[in-house]
């Protein structure tokens, strides 16, 4: 603001860099949250399930999530292809680089969800959840 308003040295490329950094930060942040199972969930009935029921629910949820993430990654790939010839105003780079950040985060989450489907729940997820419940 000081450079633009007081000195008359505007830097329009900073908005484009900030947008790109925000997209990549959000993408990799959600990938990190997915790995640690820290996304918001609504747990209505799984505490009443048996061990086998919880295992099946966990794997089914991971499989459905994998499908959603794969679909979202495909959509980001299509959008990156469609916007390949559109360029930003200041830096003159392709808008595809913005969609690549979204694509990589959804592909990463799809791979982790597939891994969760095959592997099932892990012990450290259950112990950390029990510790949170026991704390006042």
């Amino acid at each position: 603001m000081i450079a633009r308003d007081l000195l008359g040295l505007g830097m329009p490329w900073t908005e484009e860099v900030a947008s790109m950094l925000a997209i990549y930060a959000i993408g990799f942040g959600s990938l990190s949250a997915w790995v640690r199972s820290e996304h918001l969930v609504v747990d209505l009935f799984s505490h009443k399930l048996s061990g086998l029921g919880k295992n099946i629910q966990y794997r089914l949820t991971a499989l459905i999530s994998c499908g959603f993430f794969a679909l979202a990654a495909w959509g980001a790939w299509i959008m990156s292809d469609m916007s390949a010839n559109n360029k930003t105003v200041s830096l003159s780079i392709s808008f595809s680089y913005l969609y690549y950040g979204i694509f990589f985060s959804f592909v990463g989450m799809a791979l982790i969800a597939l891994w969760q489907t095959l592997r099932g729940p892990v012990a450290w997820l259950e112990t950390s959840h029990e510790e949170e419940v026991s704390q006042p």
Side-chain angles (χ1 to χ4, degrees):
M1 180 183 90
I2 293 172
R4 183 186 66 226
D5 293 337
L6 296 178
L7 302 175
L9 300 172
M11 295 180 280
W13 56 270
T14 57
E15 180 183 349
E16 295 172 4
V17 170
S19 297
M20 187 174 293
L21 289 176
I23 288 171
Y24 278 84
I26 290 168
F28 289 115
S30 38
L31 179 61
S32 173
W34 184 257
V35 167
R36 295 180 312 218
S37 298
E38 292 183 349
H39 280 289
L40 181 65
V41 296
V42 177
D43 186 14
L44 297 176
F45 61 90
S46 55
H47 61 280
K48 295 183 182 198
L49 294 174
S50 66
L52 177 63
K54 286 181 184 178
N55 194 340
I56 290 171
Q57 179 196 19
Y58 180 87
R59 289 174 189 256
L60 184 63
T61 302
L63 184 63
I64 291 169
S65 298
C66 179
F68 169 75
F69 294 142
L71 183 64
W74 179 65
W77 183 257
I78 295 296
M79 287 303 296
S80 69
D81 186 44
M82 298 300 262
S83 64
N85 294 326
N86 296 338
K87 300 201 179 290
T88 60
V89 176
S90 299
L91 295 176
S92 192
I93 59 173
S94 175
F95 275 108
S96 294
Y97 292 111
L98 298 173
Y99 289 109
Y100 289 153
I102 299 168
F103 172 75
F104 289 130
S105 64
F106 277 125
V107 165
M109 286 190 284
L111 291 174
I112 292 168
L114 181 62
W115 179 56
Q116 289 172 340
T117 302
L118 298 174
R119 144 205 89 163
V122 292
W124 63 270
L125 286 176
E126 294 171 6
T127 57
S128 66
H129 179 66
E130 291 171 0
E131 290 172 1
E132 290 174 4
V133 172
S134 66
Q135 292 178 354

